[in-house]
Amino acid sequence: MDNPFIQGLRNMPEEIFALVDCNNFYVSCERVFDPSLKGFPVTVLSNNDGCVIARSEEAKKLGIPMGAPAFKYRDLFARQGVHVLSSNYSLYDSMSGKVMSILKDSFPNLEIYSIDEAFLELTSLSGLDLSDYSREIRKKIDKWTGIPVSIGIGPTKTLSKIANRLAKKKKAFGGVFNFLEHGDTDNILAEVEVKEIWGVGRAYAKLLRSRGVFSARDLKYLSDQWIQENMTVEGLRTVWELRGRSIIPLCETPPPRNQVVVSRSFGREVQDMDTLMGTITEYTSRAAEKLRKEKACTSVISVFIQTNPFKETPQYSNIATSRLEIPTSYTPRLVDVAIGNLKRIFREG
């Protein structure tokens, strides 16, 4: 006899989802404001300019991996004419807002999944040609923002995620792939590695490969009992979604974040307190703005500083944390505490 979880799955209604994903988002944002970057290899580095966090297609073809330490690839960057940019999260946040605004106006239900991804619920639009409509929205986003996007459509969020990867990887689909236009999806799922499935992490991928499960099709046909025993209920949800049964609902209200971080590296060495105090004031003000935007307050504020880890000089790093008796998002109060934290850990030179 089925357990209550299995019985609940069988009673769930059919739905249609889409995943919209901005292509190489950080690089695309930079190219909107500097069109001369188009056609050239471009990388964007993390907050401390330490690692590659975004790559253009041209940079990917050069073999530059995601997360690559920048100092190890300096020679390749110079030799291949790679444009290396520091991250600009204020720009990316602004561009993301513009893309999401277009999606909100174009679709009835939206879940902002990340800064460059959104799930859409399309069930009420089933009377439309969803592929053609998605192509129209894709063109509108490109025209109004300059950001290229890919759109994947499927009967579940997991399948729409896979569809999005196909839309992005295969130019023949024109940036949109719709599972609903394909009767037998097994041949498609056979080409998707198990590690690429949404909800299957590195540990589960290793476990599945040891059992001879290498593709999404292989996973789709594993027994429910084995999945629940070895991958818990969450794994069972993923398998049911691969079978076309919608289990993971759209979440239109994102959960509040637990922390706000504003951090950057300097383009030069900074050794005096006045410059650091000015920077800490600026960054704390940005963090306070983010708090107020989310109608949130904080009861903890930390300041961290460190020297350049890539230079062969004496290293220093430290962090100071303060707890506030009354949670707040008031900028002057947060700046005052942050400056106090800085003074506790600052060292001359």
Side-chain angles (χ1 to χ4, degrees):
M1 181 177 178
D2 286 341
N3 64 34
F5 175 72
I6 299 296
Q7 292 175 350
L9 297 183
R10 292 210 170 98
N11 295 327
M12 298 194 82
E14 293 185 0
E15 296 179 271
I16 305 172
F17 294 91
L19 176 69
V20 179
D21 186 12
C22 302
N23 301 342
N24 307 322
F25 181 55
Y26 293 171
V27 170
S28 295
C29 291
E30 298 289 351
R31 283 174 165 172
V32 169
F33 286 88
D34 186 358
S36 68
L37 296 172
K38 293 181 179 179
F40 293 95
V42 179
T43 62
V44 176
L45 304 184
S46 56
N47 279 341
N48 59 356
D49 285 350
C51 298
V52 173
I53 58 172
R55 305 158 294 162
S56 67
E57 292 301 321
E58 297 83 359
K60 293 176 184 178
K61 290 177 181 178
L62 293 176
I64 302 170
M66 183 67 84
F71 75 97
K72 289 187 177 181
Y73 285 80
R74 283 175 185 159
D75 290 343
L76 185 149
F77 292 159
R79 189 169 62 252
Q80 297 292 343
V82 178
H83 294 263
V84 182
L85 308 175
S86 297
S87 50
N88 183 347
Y89 293 107
S90 296
L91 168 63
Y92 310 148
D93 186 60
S94 174
M95 295 300 292
S96 173
K98 293 177 181 178
V99 172
M100 299 306 168
S101 177
I102 295 172
L103 293 176
K104 287 178 182 177
D105 291 340
S106 305
F107 296 95
N109 299 305
L110 171 76
E111 173 191 340
I112 298 177
Y113 183 64
S114 68
I115 192 171
D116 61 346
E117 292 178 287
F119 282 106
L120 312 170
E121 198 272 309
L122 309 182
T123 311
S124 63
L125 303 179
S126 58
L128 298 176
D129 185 317
L130 295 177
S131 297
D132 284 346
Y133 185 64
S134 296
R135 291 187 184 98
E136 290 177 10
I137 300 304
R138 186 173 180 269
K139 290 179 182 177
K140 179 188 288 188
I141 292 172
D142 186 44
K143 181 178 179 180
W144 290 11
T145 70
I147 301 296
V149 303
S150 298
I151 303 177
I153 301 170
T156 70
K157 290 173 78 173
T158 300
L159 286 174
S160 72
K161 190 89 168 173
I162 292 174
N164 185 277
R165 288 183 64 87
L166 295 170
K168 188 173 293 186
K169 290 172 64 176
K170 299 190 178 184
K171 292 184 179 180
F173 296 133
V176 175
F177 182 83
N178 186 352
F179 262 118
L180 305 180
E181 297 175 346
H182 300 267
D184 182 9
T185 61
D186 278 3
N187 290 335
I188 298 170
L189 295 179
E191 299 179 6
V192 179
E193 293 184 49
V194 72
K195 67 180 182 180
E196 297 177 350
I197 302 171
W198 186 46
V200 177
R202 185 177 301 175
Y204 280 145
K206 183 178 180 180
L207 170 66
L208 290 166
R209 286 195 296 267
S210 71
R211 187 179 167 81
V213 177
F214 299 100
S215 70
R217 182 176 66 179
D218 296 336
L219 180 58
K220 174 181 175 180
Y221 289 108
L222 277 183
S223 72
D224 290 349
Q225 181 178 352
W226 188 93
I227 291 295
Q228 191 162 5
E229 289 176 355
N230 293 274
M231 298 178 65
T232 73
V233 169
E234 293 300 320
L236 193 57
R237 288 177 178 174
T238 296
V239 172
W240 274 83
E241 290 238 327
L242 288 175
R243 296 172 186 169
R245 179 71 68 179
S246 176
I247 309 301
I248 306 171
L250 200 74
C251 179
E252 297 181 57
T253 304
R257 61 169 132 186
N258 292 323
Q259 65 177 359
V260 171
V261 178
V262 181
S263 67
R264 302 287 186 275
S265 63
F266 296 95
R268 57 182 177 80
E269 289 188 352
V270 175
Q271 299 182 342
D272 64 283
M273 174 65 89
D274 288 343
T275 301
L276 282 176
M277 287 176 61
T279 302
I280 291 296
T281 299
E282 177 188 354
Y283 290 0
T284 306
S285 298
R286 291 185 191 177
E289 288 175 8
K290 291 182 179 182
L291 284 172
R292 291 193 293 272
K293 185 177 180 180
E294 298 187 8
K295 296 180 172 60
C297 294
T298 185
S299 58
V300 177
I301 183 165
S302 298
V303 172
F304 68 90
I305 56 176
Q306 67 177 42
T307 50
N308 186 345
F310 304 115
K311 294 191 68 174
E312 295 183 359
T313 56
Q315 297 292 310
Y316 173 71
S317 64
N318 209 339
I319 183 170
T321 299
S322 295
R323 292 189 172 274
L324 309 179
E325 292 184 6
I326 301 176
T328 184
S329 62
Y330 183 53
T331 297
R333 172 61 176 151
L334 295 178
V335 168
D336 183 55
V337 175
I339 294 298
N341 285 350
L342 173 66
K343 290 179 178 179
R344 286 160 53 194
I345 59 177
F346 176 74
R347 284 188 183 179
E348 289 291 341

